Amino acid sequence: MNLQKSWILCCFFNFLIACVFGLLMRFMYLFPLDFLNYSFLLHAHSHVAMLGWVYMIVYVLVVHFFIPKEKSQRPIYNRLFWLTEFSVIGMMIAFPIQGYALFSIVFSTMHILLSYVFCRLVWKDCSRDKSPWQRLLLVSILFMILSTFGVWCLGPAVSTLGKQSAFYQIAIQFFLHFQFNGWFILAILALFLKQFQGQIDEVKFKRFYFLMIISTLLTVCFPVRWFVENDVLSYINVLGVLLQLGAFIYFYKMLKLQIKHFKSTLDKTTKIVYCLALCSLFLKVGIQLLTIFPNLAEISHQIRNFVIGFIHLTTLGIITGFLFGILLQNKMLSANSSILKIGVKCFISGYILTEVLLFLQGSFFFFGEGSIPGYFQSILIFSILLVLGLILVFSSIIKERVE
């Protein structure tokens, strides 16, 4: 358990650094810093958040819940974790200094190669019980491998057509789409389903599972449509979005009978966190439904506030929400710690306030109303809540280890 505590502490350290980078970016809108490059910092923020926080904590939880104890305690998992963390530290240092250049590319490539080793280990060591959560986890791993094809296309895209080409942009969107909507979301849902002790309706699960896979494959057409003028891509995305809605209707039906009992086993803080995650998930599905309308689909990527708001809805609301819930429910974070409770509430407040402000400002731009007075000052203050919340959570983990 001490080993896992070290892993969790390391993941939260990465998350805190990613949030500090995000806070610095918002600070720079008001007070430019000559020694920092904004776009380099943006690369650092996104890579450390995705690969240092989400990937690493999913690694910890997959090993804890899906790998039999005798196999999970082999040295290979510990060595692989710290090697992967080394690549994250490398990105943490290299990206703010040089952006996309030799060292940052070396460390991010190292991370991908190590993730292949992780995939192979999980595929080999996972207990073969054919449970719903097991199948969901294994398909999420396939999506993770699929997503990396986009990264391997970046080199040829730059050398043949350049960074401004549609090929280069589509390769990036391909990677991001299957990372977030394939690997991360499905792995998180697999971990969440694992928390339900009762039997899950097999028929409803199969429908959810099938619709979810098809919709994930089809909705990649949405970002591709930004760079390729073709109405067929829009129709495919509409079908994908509708299938996703169907998938989550079955997801709700599948768990409906067990939700009451499940809630009764949770403490107040864990309930709040899971509620946030589920609300964010259904809000994401609702927002994606709006892309059925061509004019809304068009502006969804043109107004930067909407893009950032949607990315944070997925990473902070859905993914981090479920991760916090699972960690709290299983006492991997101490739900009794008053510092942790304050930290979680502080983090949630910062998340909700920044999201409301981002979408509100985006709506102002959409209706031609211009900027909200004091927008940059407000979002900076709300972002401080996110960082402060994480500092408190991080402190509570250290305090618990010391005790």
Side-chain angles (χ1 to χ4, degrees), residues 308-345:
I308 299 167
F310 187 77
I311 291 168
H312 285 184
L313 178 74
T314 306
T315 50
L316 299 179
I318 302 168
I319 296 170
T320 301
F322 276 116
L323 289 168
F324 273 25
I326 293 161
L327 289 165
L328 286 163
Q329 185 186 350
N330 291 279
K331 307 290 185 280
M332 295 164 96
L333 289 178
S334 176
N336 298 322
S337 164
S338 55
I339 298 172
L340 185 122
K341 284 179 187 174
I342 296 165
V344 168
K345 284 170 186 171

Side-chain angles (χ1 to χ4, degrees), residues 144-179:
M144 194 247 268
I145 295 164
L146 176 65
S147 75
T148 60
F149 292 178
V151 177
W152 302 129
C153 287
L154 292 177
V158 172
S159 59
T160 56
L161 299 166
K163 281 193 175 183
Q164 302 309 314
S165 65
F167 179 27
Y168 180 83
Q169 298 299 330
I170 288 168
I172 290 173
Q173 294 304 324
F174 184 92
F175 169 71
L176 292 173
H177 174 80
F178 287 114
Q179 276 278 309

Side-chain angles (χ1 to χ4, degrees), residues 342-353:
I342 296 165
V344 168
K345 284 170 186 171
C346 198
F347 180 85
I348 289 171
S349 302
Y351 161 69
I352 292 170
L353 290 167

Side-chain angles (χ1 to χ4, degrees), residues 33-53:
L33 302 170
D34 295 335
F35 60 91
L36 281 176
N37 180 302
Y38 183 88
S39 67
F40 291 180
L41 208 53
L42 174 61
H43 291 316
H45 169 70
S46 56
H47 278 79
V48 176
M50 266 178 70
L51 306 177
W53 161 240

Side-chain angles (χ1 to χ4, degrees), residues 262-325:
F262 181 72
K263 277 170 68 179
S264 68
T265 64
L266 306 174
D267 61 85
K268 191 182 172 185
T269 310
T270 313
K271 275 182 196 169
I272 291 168
V273 172
Y274 271 141
C275 182
L276 174 87
L278 287 164
C279 288
S280 298
L281 179 62
F282 289 112
L283 189 58
K284 175 184 179 281
V285 174
I287 290 170
Q288 284 181 280
L289 276 172
L290 293 176
T291 63
I292 287 173
F293 304 102
N295 60 330
L296 293 176
E298 196 56 41
I299 60 100
S300 64
H301 70 287
Q302 291 172 350
I303 297 176
R304 188 170 166 75
N305 304 76
F306 285 153
V307 175
I308 299 167
F310 187 77
I311 291 168
H312 285 184
L313 178 74
T314 306
T315 50
L316 299 179
I318 302 168
I319 296 170
T320 301
F322 276 116
L323 289 168
F324 273 25

Side-chain angles (χ1 to χ4, degrees), residues 25 46 75 96 102 113 127 141 151 189 217 219 266 273 275 297 306 359 375 379:
M25 283 154 59
S46 56
L102 177 63
L113 296 175
S127 54
I141 282 171
V151 177
L189 292 177
L217 291 168
T219 49
L266 306 174
V273 172
C275 182
F306 285 153
F359 281 106
Y375 169 75
I379 205 152

Side-chain angles (χ1 to χ4, degrees), residues 63-109:
V63 170
H64 180 79
F65 287 108
F66 286 95
I67 309 300
K69 197 172 182 183
E70 67 280 3
K71 291 180 179 178
S72 70
Q73 289 179 344
R74 287 184 303 155
I76 181 72
Y77 281 103
N78 191 38
R79 282 202 294 266
L80 182 61
F81 180 89
W82 292 113
L83 268 174
T84 311
E85 175 60 14
F86 174 73
S87 73
V88 172
I89 299 285
M91 287 184 270
M92 215 179 267
I93 296 165
F95 273 113
I97 295 168
Q98 60 172 196
Y100 266 108
L102 177 63
F103 290 107
S104 54
I105 290 169
V106 165
F107 286 120
S108 43
T109 304

